[in-house]
Amino acid sequence: MNEQINEQELLAVLAAESKADPQQIRLVLKHEQDFLNKAKADSKGDVDIDMDDLLDYITGRRDVKLDELTVETILEAEMDYLMDKGLAGYID
């Protein structure tokens, strides 16, 4: 995780939003990072991620026991958190 991100704070926010088990949230974040690491950046260094592809990738992992709606809630809450911290944004 990025040094600017307080992992405990992030997990608390995501657990409060999603009502999911923190262990499952960690798995979602781990698989999300794996997916992002494989994504190709454009010439500006930005990575355009299709949310449906990401959801399919994460929910397709055998160790993730959460439904698609919960995973989506976790990912959206994480994005909100990162945007609030100025660490992420959407590409127009």
Side-chain angles (χ1 to χ4, degrees), residues 21-80:
D21 175 50
Q23 286 300 99
Q24 284 293 305
I25 293 171
R26 280 189 181 94
L27 281 175
V28 168
L29 297 177
K30 175 189 161 301
H31 290 307
E32 176 192 26
Q33 192 60 54
D34 293 344
F35 185 87
L36 293 175
N37 288 342
K38 295 175 187 173
K40 302 284 186 227
D42 64 15
S43 60
K44 297 179 191 174
D46 295 329
V47 178
D48 186 19
I49 301 297
D50 182 281
M51 183 64 124
D52 291 332
D53 292 343
L54 179 57
L55 283 169
D56 289 345
Y57 179 83
I58 293 171
T59 57
R61 306 300 94 187
R62 290 182 180 169
D63 54 351
V64 175
K65 306 298 183 207
L66 301 172
D67 60 68
E68 188 172 316
L69 182 59
T70 304
V71 172
E72 185 173 14
T73 300
I74 291 167
L75 295 174
E76 288 175 354
E78 178 196 24
M79 188 63 170
D80 290 344

